[in-house]
């Protein structure tokens, strides 16, 4: 399982990547939508974890750009905004596999990542 | 007084809402980083308990990141507290240099999201005016919001407060995109109401890429 973490808060994504690596999950991290697009041009990921609110290219717009060239890539959105109910509706409309509200529970994140990979394998 | 009550209405409330929403997002990010680093410390402890060697440097780095975020959160909360207390007194002596520093702090996340950097002179001399603090903050925010929208490719807005002769002057400069704006578009009706209520006036210097508020 290979993950790309995208959030403009460097201290957040770098630590999250470190914690995932301790769980034997390979995770790269970047702090902008542009860097995420570049990473996806040279590497193949199973899942991109995208922050909704980022400067220049937000998570929803980034997903649109990434899915053009990465048809197999799956998405998890994370956000600090709004109520969970509001966000659930928004996420479903945009077609993300899952959404998580910050602060993220890493066990929930890992479970969701494994579910996504299991679904991919079944397909 | 009727005018002041009136302009406390939609515009000021909208500003208050936008600002507190932005701050709450920033506080949430601080908590999220603390959460991850506290979690990492827990992960490293669990590793040590299982007999795996743990590099003390990783513990030191994670704890330092927590300390940094607590300091960041403290600064955000202090700004929020000052902002909340700005409605306490209708009119009082206000240091505009402090207000600019406060607004710059409050607006940091919004500026980052818009790809704009805010630069202020942190050692500016005090510039005292007698004014309504909340209306003053709201007015300065309207101008800063506009200044960020005309920052152009330079993407840095300088804010300064100074005493010039008998006037207190707030300047927003480095506004490269100001040349492309029709001069009658800004300040608009909303800003004019606040300027009138605060007995202030605005000037635009297109060639110098500046807008000023004079008290």
């Amino acid at each position: 399982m290979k993950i790309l973490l995208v959030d403009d808060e460097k201290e957040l994504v770098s630590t999250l990547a470190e914690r995932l690596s301790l769980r034997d999950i390979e995770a790269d991290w970047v702090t902008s939508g542009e860097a995420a697009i570049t990473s996806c041009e040279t590497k193949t990921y199973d899942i991109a974890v995208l922050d909704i609110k980022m400067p220049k290219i937000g998570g929803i717009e980034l997903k649109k750009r990434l899915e053009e060239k990465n048809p197999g890539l799956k998405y998890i959105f994370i956000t600090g905004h709004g109520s969970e109910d509001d966000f659930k509706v928004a996420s479903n409309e945009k077609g993300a596999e899952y959404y998580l509200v910050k602060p993220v529970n890493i066990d929930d994140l890992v479970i969701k990542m494994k579910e996504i990979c299991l679904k991919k394998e079944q397909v | 007084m009727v005018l002041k009550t009136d302009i406390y209405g939609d515009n000021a409330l909208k500003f208050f809402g936008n600002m507190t929403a932005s701050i709450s997002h920033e506080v949430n990010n601080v908590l999220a980083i603390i959460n991850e680093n506290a979690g990492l410390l827990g992960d490293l402890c669990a590793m040590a308990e299982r007999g795996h060697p743990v590099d003390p440097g990783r513990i030191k780095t994670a704890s330092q990141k927590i300390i940094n975020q607590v300091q960041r959160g403290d600064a955000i909360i202090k700004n929020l507290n000052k902002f909340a207390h700005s409605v306490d007194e209708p009119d009082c002596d206000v240091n505009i240099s402090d207000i600019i520093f406060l607004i710059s702090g409050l607006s940091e996340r919004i500026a980052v999201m818009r790809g704009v950097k805010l630069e202020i002179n942190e050692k500016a001399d005090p510039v005292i005016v007698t004014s309504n603090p909340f209306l003053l903050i709201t007015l300065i925010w309207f101008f800063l919001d506009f200044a960020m929208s005309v920052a152009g490719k330079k993407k840095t807005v300088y804010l300064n407060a100074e005493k010039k002769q008998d006037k207190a002057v707030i300047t927003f400069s480095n506004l490269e995109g100001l040349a492309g704006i029709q001069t009658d578009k800004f300040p608009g009706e909303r800003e004019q109401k606040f300027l009138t209520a605060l007995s202030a006036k605005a000037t635009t210097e297109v060639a110098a890429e500046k807008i000023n508020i004079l008290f």
Side-chain angles (χ1 to χ4, degrees), chain B:
Chain B
M1 197 60 202
V2 172
L3 178 62
K4 285 192 178 184
T5 305
D6 181 42
I7 59 175
Y8 262 121
D10 287 351
N11 286 320
L13 196 58
K14 195 175 172 186
F15 160 65
F16 200 83
N18 287 343
M19 204 48 86
T20 49
S22 170
I23 293 164
S24 69
H25 184 267
E26 210 176 346
V27 169
N28 205 40
N29 274 338
V30 168
L31 293 175
I33 296 169
I34 291 172
N35 180 61
E36 289 312 323
N37 282 284
L40 177 59
L41 289 175
D43 293 344
L44 296 174
C45 278
M47 272 175 65
E49 282 167 358
R50 290 195 300 268
H52 296 289
V54 174
D55 175 8
R58 292 175 86 177
I59 295 171
K60 208 173 170 182
T61 303
S63 62
Q64 188 57 53
K65 283 182 181 177
I66 291 173
I67 292 167
N68 292 346
Q69 291 306 313
V70 169
Q71 288 170 349
R72 177 184 169 193
D74 181 57
I76 295 166
I77 299 292
K78 278 181 179 149
N79 277 342
L80 180 61
N81 186 265
K82 280 184 198 168
F83 181 46
H85 281 295
S86 69
V87 296
D88 289 353
E89 289 186 77
D91 286 298
C92 59
D93 284 349
V94 182
N95 180 357
I96 300 179
S97 295
D98 283 349
I99 297 279
I100 284 178
F101 191 73
L102 172 63
I103 291 182
S104 166
L106 291 170
S107 312
E108 197 174 325
R109 172 88 193 159
I110 294 171
V112 166
M113 292 303 293
R114 290 164 72 167
V116 176
K117 192 175 174 197
L118 303 179
E119 288 275 349
I120 57 166
N121 177 7
E122 292 183 19
K123 291 177 182 171
D125 290 332
V127 179
I128 309 294
V129 296
T130 302
S131 187
N132 177 313
F134 180 64
L135 289 184
L136 182 60
I137 290 171
T138 311
L139 174 70
I140 296 171
W141 162 249
F142 290 154
F143 274 68
L144 178 58
D145 186 27
F146 173 74
M148 287 194 283
S149 73
V150 293
K153 288 178 185 168
K154 291 180 180 173
K155 291 286 180 194
T156 300
V157 174
Y158 295 97
L159 291 94
N160 188 47
E162 61 186 327
K163 199 90 181 169
K164 277 188 182 171
Q165 296 163 346
D166 61 334
K167 297 276 186 197
V169 183
I170 301 172
T171 304
F172 306 80
S173 59
N174 205 36
L175 312 180
E176 190 188 43
L178 201 57
I181 302 292
Q182 287 177 299
T183 48
D184 60 338
K185 294 278 182 193
F186 190 86
E189 188 183 353
R190 179 186 68 173
E191 291 78 22
Q192 287 295 354
K193 276 186 177 179
F194 277 75
L195 286 164
T196 305
L198 293 168
S199 304
K201 71 170 191 171
T203 60
T204 303
E205 300 174 58
V206 176
E209 301 180 340
K210 283 181 186 177
I211 49 176
N212 310 293
I213 306 173
L214 292 83
F215 299 88

